[in-house]
Amino acid sequence: MLIFIGVISSSQALYASEATAPQALNDDEITVVSYDESDYNDPLMGFNRAIFAFNDVSYRYALIPIAKGYRYITPDPVETGISNVFANIKAPIHIVNHLLQWQPRKAGSSTARFLINTTIGIAGIFDPAAAWFSLPKNETGFSDTLAHYGSGYGTFLVLPFVGPADLRSGTGIVADYFLNPIPYITEQPDSSYIMAGDKLQAFAPQAESYETLRAKSDDPYLFFRNMYLQGILRDQQYQPSAGNNKPDNK
């Protein structure tokens, strides 16, 4: 609740200026992030650095080796099927948030996808809803719902295992957890294992990228923070319709 209030009422700046355009990068500079550290107020830096250090150790000595092993032994079709199953079972998150955003058509489409893929798609292993019925994914979450009602990003935040985020997305993660069916249809510790497996298969494709990017940075915390900030800034500039979701200026 405190995080939720912080998102709604935060007047912290996420960026120094909305007008700062991300620089075009050539092939040799594609992993370089140019962002003026002095222009950004990072009030939670001490906390964020501690969590980042914890994540960094967890990634390098546990999650990345496990993720590489998972990708090595798992055929691509099986990996895709597992990803589809997890995406399908989390459909209630999208349905509820579409309704909260006053998007009944998208909620209905997501409901139809869930029913079709759960039955014809064999518990979501396959995606006949998209292939046969032209019902593509319309994923959303509570972070998008907050944005729909005018909430800004709030202060930059690093979350355990999740990594770079912000107060709004952090609140969304917590809220979406309670809409995830897995904790309600399985018992502990099975639900924790299943959800950990979901996070692992989502993280696996990014494992080697993390190592590459980290190796190119003198200060990994600042590098990944600035890359996250630039990503949001870039989304702002190339999605004018999201103007109401812009973070406040410093």
Side-chain angles (χ1 to χ4, degrees):
M1 182 60 69
L2 290 176
I3 295 177
F4 177 81
I5 293 172
V7 175
I8 299 300
S9 63
S10 175
S11 61
Q12 294 284 352
L14 190 58
Y15 303 104
S17 172
E18 296 171 10
T20 303
Q23 297 180 359
L25 303 179
N26 59 40
D27 293 339
D28 296 329
E29 300 172 328
I30 194 65
T31 60
V32 176
V33 175
S34 57
Y35 197 92
D36 190 348
E37 176 188 354
S38 63
D39 286 345
Y40 177 67
N41 178 26
D42 189 354
L44 301 178
M45 181 179 285
F47 171 82
N48 286 337
R49 279 192 177 275
I51 299 300
F52 181 88
F54 167 78
N55 286 348
D56 186 55
V57 172
S58 300
Y59 292 165
R60 290 189 291 128
Y61 297 106
L63 294 181
I64 290 177
I66 294 172
K68 287 182 177 179
Y70 166 76
R71 299 207 76 191
Y72 180 77
I73 66 174
T74 307
D76 289 344
V78 175
E79 193 173 336
T80 299
I82 293 173
S83 178
N84 287 344
V85 168
F86 281 118
N88 185 65
I89 202 171
K90 291 183 288 188
I93 297 175
H94 314 311
I95 295 169
V96 171
N97 279 289
H98 280 311
L99 292 173
L100 291 175
Q101 296 167 36
W102 299 98
Q103 297 172 333
R105 182 171 297 180
K106 289 184 178 181
S109 175
S110 295
T111 302
R113 275 185 54 82
F114 176 71
L115 294 175
I116 292 170
N117 288 345
T118 300
T119 54
I120 303 176
I122 312 176
I125 295 175
F126 305 102
D127 190 1
W132 299 347
F133 297 93
S134 299
L135 292 172
K137 293 180 180 179
N138 278 310
E139 296 183 346
T140 189
F142 193 68
S143 175
D144 297 320
T145 299
L146 291 176
H148 177 79
Y149 290 101
S151 171
Y153 290 99
T155 304
F156 177 73
L157 181 67
V158 180
L159 299 174
F161 299 111
V162 175
D166 52 72
L167 280 173
R168 190 178 76 191
S169 63
T171 303
I173 290 171
V174 174
D176 289 342
Y177 171 86
F178 292 102
L179 295 174
N180 192 325
I182 293 175
Y184 303 103
I185 61 178
T186 59
E187 297 182 356
Q188 290 290 359
D190 293 340
S191 58
S192 294
Y193 295 151
I194 294 171
M195 296 183 77
D198 179 21
K199 299 302 180 185
L200 175 63
Q201 64 85 28
F203 173 77
Q206 308 168 23
E208 293 186 12
S209 297
Y210 179 85
E211 289 183 314
T212 300
L213 292 170
R214 188 186 185 284
K216 291 179 177 290
S217 60
D218 294 327
D219 186 329
Y221 169 75
L222 292 180
F223 183 91
F224 284 102
R225 184 198 72 180
N226 296 344
M227 186 167 65
Y228 179 84
L229 297 178
Q230 280 195 333
I232 297 179
L233 181 59
R234 183 165 52 249
D235 289 344
Q236 284 184 328
Q237 293 171 338
Y238 290 99
Q239 296 179 11
S241 61
N244 292 334
N245 299 336
K246 294 180 180 179
D248 298 330
N249 287 335
K250 181 176 177 181

